Amino acid sequence: MTSSTTSFRSAAPVGYGFHPSDEELVNHFLRLKMRGGSDHVVSTIAEVNVCDFEPWELPGKSAIQSDDPECYFFSPRNYKYAKSQRANRTTKTGYWKGTGKDRTVTAESTGKQIATKRTLVFYSGRVPNGVKTNWIMHEYNPTFDFPNKRDFILYKLKKSPDDTPAFDGGESSTSNVTEEDVQLRTQLESFNGIDEGDYNLNFALNFTNGNM
């Protein structure tokens, strides 16, 4: 966490709410963070490597301590291997797994895409026996580019009520993983480089059919 974030962190006043839109998160906060400017603005969101912590630990790392159900974090990109572009979404006790389709975040003024938004659900344990929890993160991955940028992703963390399935955007919370999928996964895990966040059934089928 940066010194500016630490100096900002305090309990929010009564009635305070921090609820920026998707466009505001990306086009204002994330853009400023990546350009290294306006510390008094970007310190509203803490800089935390989210996979260094379990989801229930992250609210305590938020720059704004309030009763809001949502927390926001800037996180450096975290890759599984030094020379890989494969994201590492594994924590000590579980992993974050993508669900549903990526969505597009656009700038209202221009209509141009500025980021993709992905929904991640936290599973405790390890594949293929991970247990779905009610912890959800929205991952905002910027698509704009400019020189001398610092590489960050923005996350919005929340927890669904215990009686609500952990999914978003109309996607079913029922697992579609079959016994065949698990067998394919087991076979592929004998080859290095496949992790919980990046399992792709099409890749598996192509590989086993000799098309890779």
Side-chain angles (χ1 to χ4, degrees):
M1 186 179 299
T2 62
S3 58
S4 59
T5 299
T6 303
S7 64
F8 177 88
R9 184 176 175 183
S10 62
V14 175
Y16 178 87
F18 181 64
H19 304 288
S21 66
D22 288 347
E23 181 191 8
E24 291 168 338
L25 284 171
V26 176
N27 222 16
H28 182 63
F29 292 98
L30 184 54
R31 185 183 290 270
L32 284 174
K33 179 68 172 179
M34 293 175 67
R35 299 187 74 165
S38 302
D39 281 349
H40 69 285
V41 176
V42 298
S43 62
T44 309
I45 300 176
E47 181 182 326
V48 177
N49 191 328
V50 295
C51 286
D52 284 350
F53 302 94
E54 308 309 324
W56 50 88
E57 297 175 324
L58 286 171
K61 306 296 180 182
S62 177
I64 301 174
Q65 295 296 299
S66 72
D67 293 330
D68 279 350
E70 299 174 347
C71 308
Y72 302 85
F73 303 98
F74 296 118
S75 185
R77 291 186 184 275
N78 187 6
Y79 297 115
K80 188 171 180 64
Y81 306 106
K83 296 183 179 181
S84 171
Q85 296 297 306
R86 181 172 293 127
N88 179 21
R89 299 194 181 99
T90 303
T91 72
K92 290 181 180 179
T93 69
Y95 58 96
W96 292 96
K97 181 179 179 180
T99 182
K101 296 180 179 179
D102 290 359
R103 283 151 289 172
T104 298
V105 180
T106 58
E108 184 177 352
S109 59
T110 64
K112 293 183 178 180
Q113 180 178 351
I114 55 176
T116 58
K117 178 181 177 182
R118 174 175 295 180
T119 299
L120 306 174
V121 177
F122 186 76
Y123 286 72
S124 60
R126 292 289 181 259
V127 171
N129 300 314
V131 177
K132 182 181 289 187
T133 74
N134 283 359
W135 288 100
I136 299 171
M137 279 200 307
H138 295 305
E139 179 184 83
Y140 297 86
N141 197 337
T143 55
F144 49 71
D145 195 16
F146 38 79
N148 303 320
K149 70 177 182 179
R150 298 187 294 172
D151 211 0
F152 288 97
I153 297 175
L154 194 150
Y155 289 97
K156 178 169 69 175
L157 172 76
K158 62 182 179 179
K159 185 181 181 183
S160 298
D162 291 339
D163 58 349
T164 302
F167 66 97
D168 180 73
E171 296 294 328
S172 172
S173 63
T174 303
S175 173
N176 294 320
V177 178
T178 66
E179 184 177 352
E180 180 182 4
D181 295 343
V182 174
Q183 291 174 350
L184 289 169
R185 170 74 190 204
T186 302
Q187 179 179 354
L188 284 170
E189 282 186 335
S190 63
F191 299 88
N192 292 328
I194 304 298
D195 65 22
E196 289 86 352
D198 297 302
Y199 175 53
N200 184 299
L201 181 56
N202 289 329
F203 175 89
L205 291 172
N206 287 331
F207 187 93
T208 54
N209 291 331
N211 296 327
M212 298 295 293

Short mmCIF file of all heavy atoms in Angstrom, two decimals, residues 143-183:
data_model
loop_
_atom_site.label_atom_id
_atom_site.label_comp_id
_atom_site.label_asym_id
_atom_site.label_seq_id
_atom_site.Cartn_x
_atom_site.Cartn_y
_atom_site.Cartn_z
N THR A 143 -8.31 -1.03 -21.56
CA THR A 143 -7.92 -1.28 -22.95
C THR A 143 -7.29 -0.04 -23.59
O THR A 143 -6.79 -0.12 -24.70
CB THR A 143 -9.13 -1.71 -23.79
OG1 THR A 143 -10.16 -0.73 -23.68
CG2 THR A 143 -9.66 -3.05 -23.31
N PHE A 144 -7.35 1.11 -22.90
CA PHE A 144 -6.67 2.29 -23.43
C PHE A 144 -5.17 2.16 -23.21
O PHE A 144 -4.71 1.41 -22.35
CB PHE A 144 -7.20 3.58 -22.80
CG PHE A 144 -7.29 3.57 -21.30
CD1 PHE A 144 -6.16 3.62 -20.51
CD2 PHE A 144 -8.53 3.55 -20.68
CE1 PHE A 144 -6.24 3.63 -19.13
CE2 PHE A 144 -8.62 3.56 -19.30
CZ PHE A 144 -7.47 3.60 -18.52
N ASP A 145 -4.42 2.90 -23.98
CA ASP A 145 -2.96 2.79 -23.92
C ASP A 145 -2.35 4.17 -24.06
O ASP A 145 -2.84 5.02 -24.80
CB ASP A 145 -2.46 1.87 -25.04
CG ASP A 145 -1.02 1.43 -24.83
OD1 ASP A 145 -0.52 1.58 -23.70
OD2 ASP A 145 -0.41 0.95 -25.80
N PHE A 146 -1.26 4.40 -23.33
CA PHE A 146 -0.50 5.63 -23.46
C PHE A 146 0.90 5.38 -22.93
O PHE A 146 1.13 4.44 -22.17
CB PHE A 146 -1.17 6.80 -22.71
CG PHE A 146 -1.79 6.42 -21.40
CD1 PHE A 146 -1.02 6.25 -20.24
CD2 PHE A 146 -3.15 6.23 -21.31
CE1 PHE A 146 -1.61 5.90 -19.05
CE2 PHE A 146 -3.75 5.88 -20.11
CZ PHE A 146 -2.98 5.73 -18.98
N PRO A 147 1.87 6.22 -23.31
CA PRO A 147 3.26 5.96 -22.92
C PRO A 147 3.47 6.12 -21.42
O PRO A 147 2.75 6.84 -20.73
CB PRO A 147 4.06 7.02 -23.68
CG PRO A 147 3.09 7.81 -24.46
CD PRO A 147 1.72 7.36 -24.17
N ASN A 148 4.49 5.42 -20.92
CA ASN A 148 4.95 5.56 -19.54
C ASN A 148 3.87 5.25 -18.50
O ASN A 148 3.82 5.83 -17.43
CB ASN A 148 5.47 6.99 -19.29
CG ASN A 148 6.58 7.36 -20.24
OD1 ASN A 148 7.44 6.55 -20.55
ND2 ASN A 148 6.55 8.59 -20.74
N LYS A 149 2.97 4.33 -18.86
CA LYS A 149 1.92 3.99 -17.91
C LYS A 149 2.42 2.97 -16.89
O LYS A 149 3.35 2.20 -17.14
CB LYS A 149 0.71 3.41 -18.64
CG LYS A 149 0.93 2.01 -19.23
CD LYS A 149 -0.32 1.49 -19.88
CE LYS A 149 -0.11 0.08 -20.44
NZ LYS A 149 -1.33 -0.46 -21.06
N ARG A 150 1.79 2.98 -15.72
CA ARG A 150 2.00 1.94 -14.71
C ARG A 150 0.86 0.94 -14.86
O ARG A 150 -0.30 1.32 -15.06
CB ARG A 150 2.01 2.55 -13.31
CG ARG A 150 3.15 3.55 -13.12
CD ARG A 150 3.25 4.00 -11.68
NE ARG A 150 2.08 4.75 -11.27
CZ ARG A 150 1.83 5.11 -10.01
NH1 ARG A 150 2.66 4.78 -9.05
NH2 ARG A 150 0.76 5.81 -9.72
N ASP A 151 1.19 -0.34 -14.79
CA ASP A 151 0.23 -1.38 -15.16
C ASP A 151 -0.57 -1.84 -13.95
O ASP A 151 -0.06 -2.55 -13.08
CB ASP A 151 0.99 -2.57 -15.77
CG ASP A 151 0.15 -3.27 -16.82
OD1 ASP A 151 -0.99 -2.84 -17.05
OD2 ASP A 151 0.64 -4.25 -17.40
N PHE A 152 -1.84 -1.44 -13.90
CA PHE A 152 -2.72 -1.82 -12.81
C PHE A 152 -4.05 -2.33 -13.36
O PHE A 152 -4.47 -1.97 -14.46
CB PHE A 152 -3.01 -0.63 -11.88
CG PHE A 152 -1.85 -0.23 -11.01
CD1 PHE A 152 -1.02 0.82 -11.39
CD2 PHE A 152 -1.58 -0.89 -9.82
CE1 PHE A 152 0.05 1.20 -10.61
CE2 PHE A 152 -0.51 -0.50 -9.03
CZ PHE A 152 0.30 0.54 -9.41
N ILE A 153 -4.71 -3.15 -12.54
CA ILE A 153 -6.09 -3.55 -12.76
C ILE A 153 -6.89 -3.03 -11.58
O ILE A 153 -6.36 -2.88 -10.48
CB ILE A 153 -6.22 -5.09 -12.87
CG1 ILE A 153 -5.43 -5.59 -14.08
CG2 ILE A 153 -7.67 -5.53 -12.98
CD1 ILE A 153 -5.40 -7.11 -14.19
N LEU A 154 -8.16 -2.74 -11.79
CA LEU A 154 -9.01 -2.28 -10.70
C LEU A 154 -10.01 -3.37 -10.36
O LEU A 154 -10.60 -3.98 -11.26
CB LEU A 154 -9.72 -0.98 -11.09
CG LEU A 154 -10.38 -0.20 -9.95
CD1 LEU A 154 -10.38 1.29 -10.27
CD2 LEU A 154 -11.81 -0.65 -9.69
N TYR A 155 -10.21 -3.60 -9.07
CA TYR A 155 -11.15 -4.62 -8.61
C TYR A 155 -12.22 -4.01 -7.71
O TYR A 155 -11.94 -3.12 -6.90
CB TYR A 155 -10.42 -5.70 -7.81
CG TYR A 155 -9.54 -6.59 -8.64
CD1 TYR A 155 -8.18 -6.34 -8.73
CD2 TYR A 155 -10.05 -7.67 -9.34
CE1 TYR A 155 -7.35 -7.15 -9.51
CE2 TYR A 155 -9.24 -8.49 -10.11
CZ TYR A 155 -7.89 -8.22 -10.18
OH TYR A 155 -7.07 -9.02 -10.94
N LYS A 156 -13.44 -4.50 -7.87
CA LYS A 156 -14.54 -4.16 -6.96
C LYS A 156 -14.97 -5.45 -6.27
O LYS A 156 -15.42 -6.39 -6.91
CB LYS A 156 -15.71 -3.53 -7.71
CG LYS A 156 -16.91 -3.21 -6.81
CD LYS A 156 -17.94 -2.34 -7.52
CE LYS A 156 -18.65 -3.05 -8.62
NZ LYS A 156 -19.74 -2.22 -9.20
N LEU A 157 -14.84 -5.49 -4.97
CA LEU A 157 -15.13 -6.69 -4.17
C LEU A 157 -16.46 -6.54 -3.45
O LEU A 157 -16.77 -5.47 -2.92
CB LEU A 157 -14.02 -6.90 -3.14
CG LEU A 157 -14.24 -8.00 -2.09
CD1 LEU A 157 -14.00 -9.38 -2.70
CD2 LEU A 157 -13.31 -7.78 -0.89
N LYS A 158 -17.23 -7.60 -3.42
CA LYS A 158 -18.45 -7.61 -2.64
C LYS A 158 -18.79 -9.05 -2.24
O LYS A 158 -18.25 -10.01 -2.82
CB LYS A 158 -19.61 -7.00 -3.41
CG LYS A 158 -20.00 -7.73 -4.69
CD LYS A 158 -21.14 -7.02 -5.40
CE LYS A 158 -21.53 -7.73 -6.71
NZ LYS A 158 -22.65 -7.05 -7.40
N LYS A 159 -19.65 -9.16 -1.26
CA LYS A 159 -20.11 -10.49 -0.83
C LYS A 159 -21.62 -10.54 -0.95
O LYS A 159 -22.32 -9.68 -0.41
CB LYS A 159 -19.70 -10.78 0.61
CG LYS A 159 -20.06 -12.20 1.05
CD LYS A 159 -19.67 -12.47 2.49
CE LYS A 159 -20.02 -13.90 2.89
NZ LYS A 159 -19.73 -14.17 4.33
N SER A 160 -22.11 -11.56 -1.65
CA SER A 160 -23.55 -11.73 -1.76
C SER A 160 -24.11 -12.22 -0.43
O SER A 160 -23.40 -12.87 0.35
CB SER A 160 -23.88 -12.75 -2.85
OG SER A 160 -23.43 -12.31 -4.11
N PRO A 161 -25.39 -11.92 -0.14
CA PRO A 161 -26.01 -12.48 1.07
C PRO A 161 -25.90 -14.00 1.07
O PRO A 161 -25.84 -14.63 0.01
CB PRO A 161 -27.47 -12.03 0.95
CG PRO A 161 -27.42 -10.82 0.08
CD PRO A 161 -26.30 -11.04 -0.89
N ASP A 162 -25.85 -14.58 2.24
CA ASP A 162 -25.62 -16.03 2.35
C ASP A 162 -26.67 -16.86 1.64
O ASP A 162 -26.43 -18.00 1.27
CB ASP A 162 -25.57 -16.44 3.83
CG ASP A 162 -24.33 -15.92 4.53
OD1 ASP A 162 -23.35 -15.60 3.82
OD2 ASP A 162 -24.34 -15.82 5.77
N ASP A 163 -27.87 -16.29 1.43
CA ASP A 163 -28.92 -17.05 0.76
C ASP A 163 -29.02 -16.72 -0.72
O ASP A 163 -29.96 -17.10 -1.39
CB ASP A 163 -30.28 -16.80 1.43
CG ASP A 163 -30.66 -15.33 1.43
OD1 ASP A 163 -29.79 -14.50 1.09
OD2 ASP A 163 -31.81 -15.01 1.78
N THR A 164 -28.01 -15.99 -1.24
CA THR A 164 -28.01 -15.62 -2.66
C THR A 164 -26.86 -16.29 -3.38
O THR A 164 -25.72 -16.20 -2.93
CB THR A 164 -27.87 -14.09 -2.82
OG1 THR A 164 -28.95 -13.46 -2.12
CG2 THR A 164 -27.92 -13.70 -4.30
N PRO A 165 -27.10 -16.99 -4.49
CA PRO A 165 -25.99 -17.61 -5.23
C PRO A 165 -24.99 -16.57 -5.68
O PRO A 165 -25.35 -15.45 -6.03
CB PRO A 165 -26.70 -18.26 -6.44
CG PRO A 165 -28.13 -18.39 -6.04
CD PRO A 165 -28.40 -17.23 -5.12
N ALA A 166 -23.70 -16.94 -5.68
CA ALA A 166 -22.63 -16.01 -6.04
C ALA A 166 -22.44 -15.98 -7.55
O ALA A 166 -21.57 -16.62 -8.09
CB ALA A 166 -21.33 -16.40 -5.35
N PHE A 167 -23.30 -15.24 -8.26
CA PHE A 167 -23.10 -15.07 -9.68
C PHE A 167 -23.63 -13.70 -10.07
O PHE A 167 -24.28 -13.03 -9.28
CB PHE A 167 -23.79 -16.18 -10.50
CG PHE A 167 -25.29 -16.17 -10.41
CD1 PHE A 167 -26.05 -15.57 -11.40
CD2 PHE A 167 -25.95 -16.78 -9.35
CE1 PHE A 167 -27.43 -15.58 -11.34
CE2 PHE A 167 -27.34 -16.78 -9.28
CZ PHE A 167 -28.08 -16.19 -10.27
N ASP A 168 -23.33 -13.29 -11.29
CA ASP A 168 -23.67 -11.93 -11.70
C ASP A 168 -24.06 -11.92 -13.17
O ASP A 168 -23.65 -12.77 -13.94
CB ASP A 168 -22.47 -10.99 -11.48
CG ASP A 168 -22.77 -9.57 -11.91
OD1 ASP A 168 -23.52 -8.91 -11.18
OD2 ASP A 168 -22.25 -9.14 -12.94
N GLY A 169 -24.86 -10.95 -13.53
CA GLY A 169 -25.15 -10.72 -14.94
C GLY A 169 -26.06 -11.76 -15.56
O GLY A 169 -26.04 -11.98 -16.77
N GLY A 170 -26.88 -12.44 -14.74
CA GLY A 170 -27.82 -13.39 -15.28
C GLY A 170 -27.24 -14.75 -15.56
O GLY A 170 -27.90 -15.61 -16.13
N GLU A 171 -26.00 -14.99 -15.16
CA GLU A 171 -25.39 -16.29 -15.42
C GLU A 171 -25.82 -17.28 -14.34
O GLU A 171 -25.93 -16.94 -13.17
CB GLU A 171 -23.87 -16.15 -15.40
CG GLU A 171 -23.33 -15.27 -16.51
CD GLU A 171 -23.56 -15.87 -17.87
OE1 GLU A 171 -23.55 -17.10 -17.98
OE2 GLU A 171 -23.76 -15.11 -18.84
N SER A 172 -26.05 -18.50 -14.72
CA SER A 172 -26.46 -19.52 -13.77
C SER A 172 -25.35 -19.82 -12.78
O SER A 172 -24.18 -19.84 -13.13
CB SER A 172 -26.82 -20.81 -14.52
OG SER A 172 -27.04 -21.87 -13.62
N SER A 173 -25.74 -20.06 -11.51
CA SER A 173 -24.74 -20.39 -10.50
C SER A 173 -24.46 -21.89 -10.45
O SER A 173 -23.61 -22.35 -9.71
CB SER A 173 -25.22 -19.93 -9.12
OG SER A 173 -26.40 -20.64 -8.77
N THR A 174 -25.18 -22.66 -11.25
CA THR A 174 -24.98 -24.10 -11.26
C THR A 174 -23.74 -24.46 -12.05
O THR A 174 -23.54 -23.99 -13.16
CB THR A 174 -26.20 -24.80 -11.89
OG1 THR A 174 -27.36 -24.43 -11.17
CG2 THR A 174 -26.02 -26.31 -11.86
N SER A 175 -22.89 -25.30 -11.49
CA SER A 175 -21.66 -25.67 -12.18
C SER A 175 -21.97 -26.51 -13.40
O SER A 175 -22.81 -27.40 -13.38
CB SER A 175 -20.77 -26.48 -11.23
OG SER A 175 -19.65 -26.99 -11.93
N ASN A 176 -21.28 -26.21 -14.51
CA ASN A 176 -21.46 -26.97 -15.74
C ASN A 176 -20.32 -27.96 -15.96
O ASN A 176 -20.18 -28.51 -17.04
CB ASN A 176 -21.52 -26.01 -16.93
CG ASN A 176 -22.76 -25.13 -16.89
OD1 ASN A 176 -23.83 -25.61 -16.54
ND2 ASN A 176 -22.61 -23.86 -17.23
N VAL A 177 -19.51 -28.17 -14.95
CA VAL A 177 -18.38 -29.08 -15.08
C VAL A 177 -18.86 -30.51 -14.98
O VAL A 177 -19.51 -30.90 -14.01
CB VAL A 177 -17.33 -28.81 -13.99
CG1 VAL A 177 -16.18 -29.79 -14.11
CG2 VAL A 177 -16.81 -27.38 -14.11
N THR A 178 -18.56 -31.32 -15.99
CA THR A 178 -18.95 -32.71 -16.02
C THR A 178 -17.77 -33.58 -15.61
O THR A 178 -16.64 -33.12 -15.48
CB THR A 178 -19.40 -33.11 -17.43
OG1 THR A 178 -18.26 -33.03 -18.31
CG2 THR A 178 -20.49 -32.18 -17.94
N GLU A 179 -18.06 -34.87 -15.43
CA GLU A 179 -17.00 -35.82 -15.10
C GLU A 179 -15.95 -35.86 -16.20
O GLU A 179 -14.76 -35.98 -15.93
CB GLU A 179 -17.60 -37.21 -14.90
CG GLU A 179 -16.56 -38.25 -14.45
CD GLU A 179 -17.20 -39.59 -14.18
OE1 GLU A 179 -18.43 -39.68 -14.19
OE2 GLU A 179 -16.45 -40.56 -13.98
N GLU A 180 -16.39 -35.70 -17.45
CA GLU A 180 -15.45 -35.68 -18.57
C GLU A 180 -14.52 -34.47 -18.47
O GLU A 180 -13.32 -34.58 -18.72
CB GLU A 180 -16.21 -35.65 -19.89
CG GLU A 180 -15.30 -35.63 -21.12
CD GLU A 180 -16.08 -35.53 -22.41
OE1 GLU A 180 -17.32 -35.40 -22.33
OE2 GLU A 180 -15.47 -35.57 -23.48
N ASP A 181 -15.10 -33.31 -18.09
CA ASP A 181 -14.29 -32.11 -17.92
C ASP A 181 -13.19 -32.35 -16.89
O ASP A 181 -12.04 -31.96 -17.07
CB ASP A 181 -15.14 -30.93 -17.46
CG ASP A 181 -16.17 -30.53 -18.52
OD1 ASP A 181 -15.99 -30.94 -19.68
OD2 ASP A 181 -17.12 -29.82 -18.16
N VAL A 182 -13.56 -32.97 -15.77
CA VAL A 182 -12.61 -33.21 -14.69
C VAL A 182 -11.50 -34.13 -15.17
O VAL A 182 -10.32 -33.93 -14.87
CB VAL A 182 -13.32 -33.81 -13.46
CG1 VAL A 182 -12.30 -34.20 -12.39
CG2 VAL A 182 -14.32 -32.82 -12.89
N GLN A 183 -11.86 -35.17 -15.95
CA GLN A 183 -10.85 -36.08 -16.47
C GLN A 183 -9.90 -35.36 -17.40
O GLN A 183 -8.68 -35.56 -17.36
CB GLN A 183 -11.54 -37.24 -17.19
CG GLN A 183 -12.31 -38.18 -16.26
CD GLN A 183 -13.10 -39.22 -17.03
OE1 GLN A 183 -13.23 -39.15 -18.25
NE2 GLN A 183 -13.63 -40.20 -16.31
#
